[in-house]
Amino acid sequence: MDDLPPSPAQVPRRLLADPAFVRALHERDFTTVFAMAHDAGISFNRIAEACALKSERVSQIARGTTAVTALTTVERIAGGLRIPGALLRLAAQPWEDTAVHSTESDHGEDPMKRRNLLRGALAAGLTAPALAALTAARTDVDQTLSPDSPQDLADLEAAAESYGYGYHGQAPTRVLADLVTDFTTLRPLLTVPQPAPVRARLCRTAGQMAGMTAIVLHDLGSRRESRAWFSTAARAAAESGDPQLHAWVLAREAMVPLNYGAPRAAAGLAEQARRIAGARPTAAATLAAAVAARAFALNHQPEQARQALTDANALMERLPEGERSDTWLTYGEQKHHVHLSHAFTTLGDTLRARESQQRALELSAPTSTMTRTLLYIDGAACAHHDGDSEEACRRTVAALTALPVDYRTGLVRRRALDLYEAIPAQHHHEGAMRELRDVLAA
């Protein structure tokens, strides 16, 4: 490294390890870069002095009223803030000590530190800094999917299997932080040449973890981020050469538009998953058929919905025991009845819907908070279908108010809102409807 004195605006090392700051650097988003540097105690005047920019220009960049496009300006900022060139998509700068400023510095940090940082960022919910941290973690691995040891891989495969058992009473944001932390540890294994079978295992694990991250984001109501993680999961699954994993990812992805008002798009994804899964009785094929049934029902295609239900039941009867466990990655009886409950409820077949609700509740653990609540709301929707909208609202209010605050969002809120909106507007002034509206507003 050249013997240069420290820059008056040198950013602290902790900032170079902040996923949101690193993301802004990768995108050359200098509005965020300057704002975060300022928040770290570096004045705009010092930034201007170190980067050979006018103070007024620095203020304009920080406010977002002007952008940095010239390569020479990017290089001056890199030198002034002492930002390693690789983080700005530049060559290594003359002053860099590559032993200290490795391009892997943010990836090689202590996993526990990264886990705690993610938990802290997610404690306030899916805020902009939290989403930036998640995006940085996803893109780190996503960029390696197209062109250090097997023991590490075995540990990661075991971790993926354990995450498949769901929330187990933990807050979704805590599970999300842990999942993404372990997902990022795949990067160093994916960036070096591996034997084809090892590469396939790595991509399979990446696909599973990215898919499960997408599931949590979907449950929290972050549709855009969920779709992005499903896209990464699909790429990893395709590269792994595992068609059943690829079909599982697409079937799970179909549940995003399914649950947020786009049943036609959901049906398209589910049918694509069915084609990839094939005719064998697998967890992915059964899931895809059940999701397709729900999508067709919501899209007012009852004949197609009932045929998909028939197919799903036939696959379920022949599903091997090894694929029937109750995890996100497999397809057990409990999960099957959860899907049947929603499909039959949507079709207005309340007798069969209630049968599936009762069976699903019998098979759901007490810690399956979100699933049990969705089943209660399905039951309330059946009451509405049978003509008792007041009872439907009372039951939905009871289900929502029994939930911890962290769960009163995302998919649960969407399902309750769907029920409220299905009730004719002339009844919305009535007491039970007003109570449901107030709970949803809160």
Side-chain angles (χ1 to χ4, degrees):
M1 181 176 87
D2 293 349
D3 293 328
L4 294 176
S7 165
Q10 180 168 346
V11 295
R13 290 294 302 279
R14 63 178 173 78
L15 210 51
L16 293 175
D18 186 318
F21 191 71
V22 171
R23 176 69 174 171
L25 293 172
H26 285 167
E27 296 180 351
R28 295 185 180 176
D29 173 10
F30 291 107
T31 296
T32 300
V33 169
F34 284 3
M36 293 185 72
H38 187 267
D39 290 345
I42 304 171
S43 70
F44 291 143
N45 285 335
R46 282 166 56 199
I47 293 174
E49 176 190 350
C51 301
L53 297 170
K54 293 181 179 179
S55 296
E56 181 182 359
R57 178 94 189 278
V58 170
S59 297
Q60 290 171 341
I61 294 168
R63 291 197 304 270
T65 58
T66 189
V68 175
T69 57
L71 182 60
T72 54
T73 306
V74 176
E75 291 174 335
R76 288 207 304 274
I77 293 172
L81 302 187
R82 292 293 190 267
I83 295 168
L87 297 180
L88 286 164
R89 294 179 278 123
L90 301 170
Q93 300 298 292
W95 49 267
E96 286 190 56
D97 179 350
T98 55
V100 176
H101 297 289
S102 164
T103 60
E104 302 297 327
S105 60
D106 59 320
H107 306 295
E109 67 183 12
D110 177 16
M112 183 57 71
K113 178 182 176 183
R114 181 188 286 272
R115 193 184 307 271
N116 289 336
L117 284 170
L118 276 167
R119 285 179 177 173
L122 287 162
L126 294 176
T127 60
L131 290 174
L134 295 175
T135 299
R138 178 179 60 79
T139 54
D140 278 348
V141 173
D142 193 31
Q143 291 167 359
T144 69
L145 288 172
S146 297
D148 285 315
S149 71
Q151 187 173 13
D152 293 337
L153 174 54
D155 290 342
L156 288 165
E157 288 173 328
E161 181 182 356
S162 67
Y163 285 123
Y165 286 94
Y167 297 116
H168 273 290
Q170 300 180 84
T173 50
R174 182 184 178 92
V175 175
L176 184 61
D178 292 348
L179 246 175
V180 174
T181 299
D182 284 333
F183 176 79
T184 57
T185 62
L186 286 161
R187 187 179 190 277
L189 296 173
L190 284 163
T191 54
V192 298
Q194 301 279 7
V198 174
R199 177 78 181 182
R201 288 171 59 196
L202 283 166
C203 290
R204 186 172 190 274
T205 304
Q208 290 174 334
M209 286 191 173
M212 288 186 284
T213 299
I215 289 170
V216 181
L217 287 164
H218 163 265
D219 289 349
L220 289 169
S222 185
R223 285 169 280 174
R224 180 176 299 177
E225 289 300 312
S226 180
R227 285 195 300 267
W229 280 86
F230 273 126
S231 177
T232 296
R235 291 183 62 206
E239 190 170 337
S240 77
D242 184 343
Q244 295 304 317
L245 176 60
H246 195 183
W248 174 82
V249 170
L250 291 173
R252 292 297 315 214
E253 183 181 1
M255 293 168 67
V256 180
L258 175 75
N259 289 315
Y260 292 100
R264 183 175 299 179
L269 282 167
E271 288 297 288
Q272 184 183 354
R274 295 182 74 182
R275 288 193 296 272
I276 293 173
R280 288 192 304 112
T282 65
T286 314
L287 171 66
V291 173
R294 293 172 60 188
F296 287 133
L298 286 168
N299 204 40
H300 308 293
Q301 296 175 278
E303 290 184 12
Q304 292 91 329
R306 293 188 184 281
Q307 182 58 57
L309 283 168
T310 298
D311 295 342
N313 282 325
L315 287 164
M316 188 67 197
E317 288 176 2
R318 296 159 47 217
L319 193 64
E321 194 62 36
E323 298 201 39
R324 288 174 174 264
S325 56
D326 183 17
T327 77
W328 279 337
L329 296 164
T330 52
Y331 192 86
E333 184 185 358
Q334 182 263 7
K335 188 181 275 101
H336 188 55
H337 282 290
V338 169
H339 287 293
L340 295 186
S341 166
H342 189 234
F344 284 128
T345 298
T346 306
L347 288 168
D349 189 343
T350 57
L351 177 62
R352 297 185 69 181
R354 288 192 176 97
E355 289 173 353
S356 283
Q357 288 155 22
Q358 181 177 347
R359 184 58 179 153
L361 286 168
E362 289 171 358
L363 296 169
S364 296
T367 54
S368 297
T369 307
M370 190 175 298
T371 297
R372 296 180 73 87
T373 302
L374 291 171
L375 290 165
Y376 294 145
I377 296 173
D378 279 353
C382 286
H384 167 64
H385 278 297
D386 289 343
D388 195 344
S389 298
E390 186 175 351
E391 174 64 13
C393 288
R394 280 198 293 265
R395 290 170 66 174
T396 305
V397 167
L400 290 175
T401 54
L403 277 175
V405 174
D406 285 349
Y407 289 85
R408 296 180 201 174
T409 184
L411 177 56
V412 168
R413 184 181 183 279
R414 179 69 259 174
R415 191 71 63 82
L417 188 60
D418 287 342
L419 172 60
Y420 177 78
E421 292 175 345
I423 298 171
Q426 64 264 31
H427 297 293
H428 286 187
H429 67 281
E430 298 171 7
M433 284 64 159
R434 289 203 311 272
E435 188 178 1
L436 175 55
R437 181 193 60 205
D438 291 345
V439 170
L440 288 168

